[in-house]
Amino acid sequence: MLSSSLRGQADYKPDPLVDVIHYEFNICLNDSSDAITGVTDVEINFSGPVASFSLDLKNINQAGKGMKISHVTFNGSDVTWTHSYNRLRITPSISESKGSHGNLEISYSGVPADGLIISKNKFGDRTFFADHWPDRASCYLPVVDHPSDKATVDFNITAPAHYEVVASGHLTEESDLPGGQKLTRWKEDIPIPVKVMTFAAASFATELVGTVNGIPVWTWVFPENRTEGFYDYSVAVKPLSFYCNLLGPYSYEKLANVQSKTIFGGLENAGAIFYFENSVTGQGRDEDLMAHEIAHQWFGNSVTEKEWHHIWLSEGFATYLAAVYREKNYGEENLTEIMRSAREKVIRSFERSPGAVIDTTITNLMSLLNTNSYQKGAWVLHMLRYEVGEEKFWKGMRLYYERYRNGNAITDDFRKCMEEVSGRDLEIFFHQWLYVSGQPDLKIRQEGDKNGNAVITIEQTQNYIYSFNLELGVKDSKGSRTISVPVKERITKINIKAERGFELTPDPDVRLLFRILPGDMQH
Ligand SMILES: [Zn+2]
C-alpha cells in the first residue's frame, strides 16, 4: 500500500528544537484533476537557538506525484529555503533564539502520492479522504510527521459545492463561494498528533445519533448507504459512554464516525474516525471495530506514544479496552475467550518470528502493526490487572490518562503511574513482558502417592527466567480448587494434598501468557 519512495521509518527523529503549536491547512480540491493547491501556516516555538530547521513534505517522485513549493515566508518575510529528500529546510536571516516564536507560510501544489486518497467510492462517486497514519500526511502537508509533536489544527477546505466536508474538531464555517465553490472550515482546539489529524470531502448523509456527556456523536455515510449506515454506526454511543465512565472525560469536541476509503479497517482519527467502506452492511457488525477505534481517542490520540516503538501504548490499549468493553457489557466469558484466542495468536506469531513488544530493531513503521503491539500488548494489560488488582489497575489507567492527557508518554511513564497506585516495584514485570521476546514455555509434571501427597513440578524451559504467579486448577473426588503458585526459578516444586490421578488444569481462568510444551502434561 505504500510506495517504496515513502519514508515509513520508525527511527526518524524530528528536529528536537522545533515544536509546532498550530497548523492551518488551506487546501483547494477540484473535480478536473487530482492536483491540490495548499497554503499552510505553521506556528512554531523554538526550544533552543536555531540556525535552520526543517519540516517534512514529499518531493515530486518519478511518477510525477508529490508536492512542489512555490513560495515560503517566515514571520511575513521571504526566507531562504530548500526542498529536497522530502524535507523543507528553512534558514531564517537571523537565527532564532530559545523560546522564540515563528510563523511559517508555505504555498505549494501537486498530486498527493499518498496520505490523501482521491478516488471513487463503491457507488462511483469521487471522494477525498485524508489517511495519515503513520507518517503519510507529509505526502501532501508540510508537517513534523512524528507523534511526539502534537498541535492544534485548522482545516480550511475549498471544494466544489457538491461536497460535504468533515474533519477533526468543530465546524466553524460553511460558505458558498463564487464559481460553484464552497469553503468549509473545521477547527481542532486540542493538540493532536499529525497521524490522526483528518478531513474528508464526499457526498455524505449525516445524522446526529445522540450526545454522551455533552459530546455530540454523528454518523457520516455515503447517501446510498444512509439506512444501513445510520443503523450500523449508531452503536458508537455505547463504547463512548463506557470509556468516559471507565477512563475519564473524552478529549474532543465531537465524535464523527465516517464511512471512508481508508486503507485500514478503521483509522482512529481524532474526533472523526474513518472506517472501511464495506463496514456498512446494515447487519450491526461494527461494535467491536468501533469499540477499538473509540478507545484510541483516549490512548493513541489523547495520550500519544512519544516514540513509535512504544506503539503498544496505543494498539495494545485499544485492543484490551475493546475486550473489556465486551466483558463488562456481555459477560466475563467474552474477555476469557478473547484473551485465549489472543494468546494463541501471540504464541503462533512468536513461533514464526520472535521479537519483543518494544523492539527498536524494527524500522518499517507498517511492521509495527503486528501481533506484539496488539495482542501481546493487550495481554500485558490483562496480566497487570491481576498483578496489581482490579481497583488499582483502573485507578492507574485513569491516573495515566489524566497525567498525560493531550500530551505524550512512553512506557516508563505508564509503569510509574501503576507503581504509584499499587505501591509496587513493577520493573521486572514491565521488563519481562515488554522487552523480552517470547513467553514462559512450561513443562508441568505431577506425581501423587496413595496417601494423597502430590508433587507438582513446573519447569521454565525458555532461556529467560520469568517471575509470575501460575494458577493451577486441582480436581479430585473431593472437589475442585485453584491454587496460586509463585514461580521465579527454572524449576519450582510444590507439595499439595490431592488424590492420586488428580486432574490438573494450568491457568484455568486465562490469566497468564504462557505456552505448555506439547506432551509434557504427565499423569
Ligand atoms: Zn488500533
Side-chain angles (χ1 to χ4, degrees):
M1 281 177 252
L2 285 174
S3 84
S4 57
S5 65
L6 301 180
R7 193 179 65 229
Q9 293 297 302
D11 48 2
Y12 159 78
K13 294 268 184 260
D15 193 331
L17 300 175
V18 171
D19 176 14
V20 176
I21 302 303
H22 182 73
Y23 293 104
E24 183 187 299
F25 299 123
N26 300 280
I27 302 166
C28 289
L29 310 173
N30 71 84
D31 277 339
S32 54
S33 84
D34 290 348
I36 63 160
T37 58
V39 177
T40 293
D41 287 307
V42 190
E43 202 180 315
I44 300 170
N45 267 350
F46 295 99
S47 56
V50 175
S52 78
F53 62 93
S54 67
L55 268 71
D56 303 299
L57 181 66
K58 296 285 186 288
N59 288 94
I60 308 259
N61 65 18
Q62 286 176 339
K65 291 183 174 178
M67 295 297 136
K68 185 172 167 44
I69 296 173
S70 56
H71 195 200
V72 180
T73 63
F74 185 63
N75 292 335
S77 308
D78 285 346
V79 72
T80 306
W81 57 273
T82 58
H83 184 212
S84 54
Y85 301 104
N86 304 322
R87 285 285 185 115
L88 165 62
R89 181 159 288 281
I90 314 292
T91 308
S93 50
I94 42 166
S95 52
E96 288 300 315
S97 57
K98 181 173 163 56
S100 67
H101 199 74
N103 280 288
L104 191 65
E105 184 170 280
I106 305 132
S107 304
Y108 62 98
S109 60
V111 176
D114 198 356
L116 178 63
I117 298 172
I118 306 173
S119 64
K120 284 185 172 169
N121 69 12
K122 61 182 184 174
F123 301 107
D125 292 327
R126 182 172 165 84
T127 60
F128 301 77
F129 285 97
D131 207 48
H132 293 176
W133 201 99
D135 63 347
R136 291 148 65 226
S138 50
C139 293
Y140 75 106
L141 298 173
V143 290
V144 173
D145 213 347
H146 194 271
S148 62
D149 195 351
K150 299 173 84 164
T152 55
V153 57
D154 293 352
F155 280 102
N156 302 336
I157 307 296
T158 303
H162 62 90
Y163 288 104
E164 276 85 42
V165 174
V166 64
S168 298
H170 57 278
L171 184 67
T172 58
E173 182 181 358
E174 201 173 20
S175 301
D176 285 325
L177 303 180
Q181 302 288 296
K182 185 169 75 178
L183 170 65
T184 312
R185 293 167 55 213
W186 288 84
K187 186 174 194 54
E188 177 57 79
D189 291 326
I190 307 296
I192 54 176
V194 171
K195 63 173 182 163
V196 293
M197 292 177 180
T198 206
F199 83 94
S203 280
F204 284 113
T206 60
E207 181 191 36
L208 178 64
V209 179
T211 58
V212 172
N213 298 354
I215 305 296
V217 180
W218 289 88
T219 294
W220 292 65
V221 291
F222 301 138
E224 296 86 342
N225 271 154
R226 178 180 166 277
T227 309
E228 301 87 346
F230 285 1
Y231 174 70
D232 287 341
Y233 287 4
S234 65
V235 74
V237 292
K238 283 177 64 184
L240 182 65
S241 157
F242 176 75
Y243 298 135
C244 286
N245 292 328
L246 186 68
L247 303 166
Y250 178 78
S251 285
Y252 308 110
E253 298 92 332
K254 58 103 181 48
L255 174 62
N257 293 288
V258 184
Q259 186 179 19
S260 80
K261 294 288 289 178
T262 176
I263 63 170
F264 304 100
L267 180 50
E268 66 266 21
N269 302 312
I273 301 172
F274 287 6
Y275 302 91
F276 72 111
E277 63 180 334
N278 287 329
S279 64
V280 173
T281 60
Q283 310 286 311
R285 292 183 192 147
D286 295 326
E287 193 168 357
D288 290 337
L289 174 63
M290 296 184 106
H292 178 103
E293 305 305 338
I294 292 171
H296 271 306
Q297 306 301 313
W298 279 260
F299 298 110
N301 298 1
S302 184
V303 181
T304 304
E305 62 280 6
K306 195 184 284 172
E307 293 167 19
W308 279 120
H309 291 114
H310 293 247
I311 194 174
W312 83 279
L313 295 172
S314 171
E315 295 304 347
F317 278 54
T319 303
Y320 191 59
L321 287 166
V324 170
Y325 170 76
R326 284 212 74 84
E327 174 199 6
K328 299 291 188 191
N329 288 278
Y330 300 102
E332 208 177 327
E333 67 283 4
N334 283 274
L335 178 67
T336 313
E337 243 351 276
I338 292 168
M339 297 319 291
R340 199 194 304 276
S341 93
R343 180 166 65 190
E344 277 163 26
K345 208 168 171 196
V346 171
I347 290 168
R348 278 201 308 276
S349 157
F350 169 72
E351 285 163 354
R352 274 196 314 274
S353 63
V357 173
I358 297 172
D359 179 356
T360 53
T361 65
I362 295 177
T363 54
N364 184 303
L365 285 176
M366 286 293 183
S367 305
L368 290 171
L369 298 182
N370 58 32
T371 306
N372 275 334
S373 303
Y374 287 74
Q375 283 81 10
K376 191 170 177 186
W379 255 102
V380 173
L381 293 179
H382 188 57
M383 291 188 287
L384 185 58
R385 187 173 166 190
Y386 296 109
E387 186 75 22
V388 301
E390 180 76 2
E391 200 182 314
K392 284 174 181 160
F393 176 76
W394 293 111
K395 203 174 162 195
M397 291 286 275
R398 283 191 292 272
L399 175 67
Y400 172 62
Y401 177 61
E402 189 190 319
R403 191 168 285 171
Y404 298 99
R405 189 178 177 195
N406 303 323
N408 287 101
I410 55 169
T411 301
D412 272 351
D413 298 323
F414 176 56
R415 175 177 56 80
K416 285 173 191 157
C417 288
M418 282 295 172
E419 289 181 336
E420 210 172 302
V421 297
S422 68
R424 297 265 309 273
D425 179 346
L426 296 168
E427 289 257 13
I428 291 172
F429 179 94
F430 274 73
H431 176 78
Q432 70 186 9
W433 297 116
L434 291 165
Y435 292 90
V436 177
S437 170
Q439 65 284 314
D441 293 330
L442 304 182
K443 287 186 180 179
I444 301 175
R445 289 178 215 94
Q446 63 186 98
E447 292 158 88
D449 67 18
K450 60 180 189 310
N451 300 321
N453 297 310
V455 180
I456 298 170
T457 308
I458 301 152
E459 181 184 355
Q460 301 199 50
T461 65
Q462 75 291 342
N463 280 335
Y464 179 90
I465 301 299
Y466 286 78
S467 197
F468 55 88
N469 282 322
L470 175 66
E471 292 188 339
L472 294 172
V474 175
K475 189 178 170 191
D476 57 18
S477 68
K478 290 181 182 138
S480 306
R481 55 227 180 254
T482 300
I483 54 173
S484 182
V485 185
V487 177
K488 297 190 186 71
E489 313 288 340
R490 185 164 290 286
I491 306 239
T492 305
K493 271 184 200 264
I494 55 154
N495 298 303
I496 62 164
K497 284 282 177 197
E499 287 169 354
R500 187 186 271 180
F502 64 92
E503 203 178 295
L504 189 64
T505 312
D507 191 34
D509 297 320
V510 194
R511 291 180 177 182
L512 181 70
L513 176 59
F514 75 117
R515 179 169 61 163
I516 288 278
L517 294 187
D520 289 307
M521 285 294 289
Q522 294 165 6
H523 288 258

